[in-house]
Amino acid sequence: MSQEAYMKVHYEILARREDEAVKSFLILSSSTHEVKEASWNPGEKTLSKALDALGIPISSLHEKDITPIRVFPELGVISAVSKVKSILDLIEQALAKLIRRVEPVPRSKALLISSVPMIKTPFVWEQGYTGKGVKVAVVDSGIDPSHPELPRAVASRSFVEDEPVDDLDGHGTHVAGIIAGRGEIYSGIAPDASLINSKVLNKDGWGYDDDIFAGIEWAVEVAGAQVVNLSLGHTPLPSEAEIKFASKYLEWIRRGVLFVAAAGNEGPAPETIKSPAIIPGVIAVGAVDKQGLIASFSSRGSQRVEKILGEIKPTLVAPGVSIVSTFPSDISHKGKIDPLHAYLSGTSMAAPHVTGIIALLLEASAERGYPPQDNYSNIVASLIASARSLQADKYAQGHGIIDSRRALAGLGKQKIQAPGEDALDRYRNYLSILESENLNARVESMVEILQSFLGVGILAMSFLSPGGNPSASILDALRKAYQSGLITREQYIYTLAYLLDKQKKQ
């Protein structure tokens, strides 16, 4: 493979066996505004039409045994499944000029580890606001359509292969109940909100990011979601696809759509906020217990994150420990308290508390005649200004714990600017720093392994013979590529470090 082609491929893909099947993002040199539905309605005919508009005949992918899954025409991104060798052949030959970059598709997971009065919601109900007329998207593992305490979703679609819109995990139903449950004992924050069921996580609580983004796009563009709850996430991956998806979030935010995401469950370590919560403009939510103490698992931000992104992460905190909500009757769980309810913990549970309050504020905003494009400046400003500060570090609590009563009282009195044109550059810069630090950390780890345990230099790789080592052939090919000058020393070390680190963990 030529050096030009090599430079296009993310090291995580290069580090895999050539016969291994992977799901990849193909980042294209072009984009088109045609055939938007190719992401959320990826039938063969739709995919073919979208690929043709991008200058890529679907036959050229099939010839290489590459199966396109979704196409995001506006962003110039294709997700596809194939063997590593097929991807390498593709960019070396037929479509070398059309494909700028090949990256792995990250996987996100549900972020799991008497909250309504705690955030002063009954007062807002007394003012007549219950979320009426507001469309809330639950982008999750689905919503149980038969649960007696949940409203029937006004729109439903599954983006998980071979799974119906029903919730086979329980996480999405629990989240939906926190937002819009209608039980006499366990009520949601906005019981009259209209739910949109966008199923993107499978029965085990995992989902690929192409499916997740397609589910978000469908919820916003087709189903008309005004606020989107994302109780899921993955470690931010420095990639072009991540930047392209972030650009779309920012576009929607400026149009008036609000996004609420779980901050993550990797606290108390700093700089552990997950994506999409880390994206500028997305409301990142950490968790507190019922005593108002920051949950130890709740992910933290840092001064550096604030300085680079221009905003504090997490944005807010909300109840997220031992939260009782709706749960499918046919799924067993250790947290079940009766056939229809279970208690769960995590920032996954904190995020829908904020989403529910936003639904209440959106109803109030519409009643007062505020235009949708001002949703971010009005509603986020009100949430931040009204949050109650806790006795905790600001990079653990953000602006504080949400208070729906104070937020309603302050609606329209404060303004905050939606993320500007520089927000994407700030995010790109942050990801670049992460990538650089990843490289340094991997190099240090690799050098330590070689010197302390193997006692050999960087290029003395002949000890890794093909026999008995599943990665040996890759390492041998990598060594030869470096020695022949096809790749740089940095590229060689980066990939080698990843492989050795991966072997050490096995």
Side-chain angles (χ1 to χ4, degrees), residues 293-306:
L293 301 175
I294 302 294
S296 60
F297 60 75
S298 188
S299 287
R300 270 65 164 175
S302 71
Q303 185 178 37
R304 183 175 75 161
V305 169
E306 180 185 8

Side-chain angles (χ1 to χ4, degrees), residues 205-245:
W206 285 92
Y208 282 105
D209 263 29
D210 60 329
D211 298 331
I212 292 169
F213 190 78
I216 296 168
E217 190 173 38
W218 169 80
V220 174
E221 300 287 1
V222 178
Q226 297 162 269
V227 56
V228 179
N229 189 88
L230 299 160
S231 288
L232 47 78
H234 63 81
T235 300
L237 178 69
S239 68
E240 286 199 42
E242 181 86 5
I243 293 295
K244 285 178 176 287
F245 290 158

